[in-house]
Amino acid sequence: MNSKQYIKTIVEGLEVYFRTFALADNMLHCQTDGVEWIAPSPNGKGPAIVFGTSLDDISEDRVRRLMPDLQNGKIPALWVLSPLFEPKNVRDTLIASGFKDISSKEMPEYGMALDMKSLANISAPNKCVEVKKVTSEADFRLWINVVNTALHGWDLLTIEHYSIWLNRGELSFYLGYINGIPVSTAAAIQNGRTASLEFVSTLVQYRKQGAAYAVCLKTLQALRDKGIRTATLRSSHEGFTLYKKLGFKPYYEQMLLNFQKQQEV
């Protein structure tokens, strides 16, 4: 793959990731006027974010037509912009229309990709970390608890709404244990011959012990054994070193914009 192909694959992984949330019965997947997003259903809890646009043209007038839905919260205020957003002046037009770029220049987040062939050169994990594939609802509860605690800080995922994930063939989940205690997680979402690495987390008190590395490596090896050729992810600033160690390479910096609601006078 060349850089453009890797970027396209990373963005496709991002889109599949967000659409996967809509499998839950408390989430909505919406599209209107060339804008695609997910949001919680009424009285529900969950992520609300715009992750795709397919506008033939964009102007302040076009964005102005979206303003009522932005103001009332129907369209989420948070937008993640990828290099594939069309047209190319989306960022500038959105900022001119009341959005703020909230991307961190000091702590950038990257779209990254891994050629599975490079896994052959990866160092072995810490033998003190035991990694198991999640196959039962009981283990999925443990996985959810670690993700909510270590990654989100609140109960974003619940077994009540997300147990459907466990029965999806394109989804796989892994849990890392230290001394029998579940401490680290990862998941993979397959999309043809590619897959994205998601929900990488480790409980604070168990970090820097190789748990995340071991869980990610096990997840990637399982994907490779299934014939997956390329893995992708969107890295937080904190996870960048881990992913580079696993062989991932950065291809673009992710951009986040937030709509600044106008105060009623």
Side-chain angles (χ1 to χ4, degrees):
M1 283 190 183
N2 58 35
S3 293
K4 289 184 179 180
Q5 290 171 323
Y6 275 121
I7 290 171
K8 183 176 184 292
T9 302
I10 295 166
V11 173
E12 287 174 348
L14 175 149
E15 293 171 346
V16 171
Y17 165 74
F18 284 121
R19 291 170 189 148
T20 298
F21 275 93
L23 295 172
D25 60 11
N26 66 335
M27 290 293 297
L28 302 174
H29 175 218
C30 307
Q31 289 180 287
T32 187
D33 202 19
V35 178
E36 182 178 5
W37 73 90
I38 56 167
S41 57
N43 302 318
K45 294 182 179 180
I49 188 168
V50 172
F51 60 89
T53 66
S54 56
L55 306 174
D56 294 329
D57 66 278
I58 190 165
S59 64
E60 290 185 43
D61 287 340
R62 184 78 178 267
V63 176
R64 194 173 294 116
R65 295 201 296 271
L66 300 175
M67 284 298 174
D69 287 339
L70 282 164
Q71 287 284 3
N72 65 28
K74 177 182 177 181
I75 297 178
L78 185 63
W79 292 40
V80 55
L81 302 190
S82 79
L84 299 188
F85 261 43
E86 293 291 348
K88 298 304 181 185
N89 65 335
V90 168
R91 176 189 177 278
D92 294 340
T93 303
L94 291 177
I95 289 176
S97 303
F99 282 75
K100 181 181 180 181
D101 189 343
I102 60 173
S103 311
S104 174
K105 302 303 180 184
E106 293 75 26
M107 296 186 294
E109 300 182 353
Y110 294 97
M112 306 182 75
L114 167 72
D115 183 338
M116 286 300 201
K117 294 178 183 178
S118 66
L119 278 181
N121 303 317
I122 300 300
S123 302
N126 185 345
K127 293 182 179 180
C128 294
V129 181
E130 181 183 11
V131 181
K132 297 180 181 179
K133 184 177 181 180
V134 173
T135 57
S136 69
E137 185 172 300
D139 285 342
F140 193 50
R141 286 180 183 273
L142 295 176
W143 185 92
I144 285 176
N145 287 339
V146 174
V147 169
N148 285 338
T149 301
L151 194 59
H152 301 300
W154 64 288
D155 291 341
L156 172 67
L157 306 177
T158 64
I159 196 72
E160 174 187 3
H161 298 300
Y162 288 91
S163 60
I164 188 173
W165 281 3
L166 195 56
N167 300 316
R168 300 285 299 196
E170 74 273 23
L171 303 178
S172 54
F173 306 89
Y174 292 84
L175 195 53
Y177 296 77
I178 293 179
N179 296 326
I181 301 171
V183 302
S184 191
T185 65
I189 305 176
Q190 294 179 228
N191 181 30
R193 290 285 186 159
T194 67
S196 62
L197 184 65
E198 309 289 353
F199 296 106
V200 177
S201 72
T202 304
L203 296 175
V204 173
Q205 60 270 40
Y206 292 96
R207 292 175 184 173
K208 307 298 182 182
Q209 299 183 46
Y213 180 87
V215 177
C216 287
L217 183 56
K218 181 73 171 182
T219 305
L220 293 168
Q221 289 172 334
L223 291 172
R224 179 195 59 193
D225 293 345
K226 291 180 180 179
I228 298 299
R229 297 172 181 173
T230 304
T232 67
L233 56 82
R234 287 86 50 216
S235 169
S236 66
H237 179 74
E238 294 81 3
F240 184 72
T241 301
L242 165 66
Y243 300 132
K244 283 193 68 177
K245 185 177 179 182
L246 285 163
F248 283 86
K249 296 179 180 179
Y251 287 90
Y252 67 87
E253 288 188 20
Q254 191 162 273
M255 188 181 306
L256 290 174
L257 269 64
N258 193 68
F259 176 65
Q260 309 296 296
K261 290 186 178 181
Q262 299 173 0
Q263 299 297 320
E264 295 185 1
V265 180

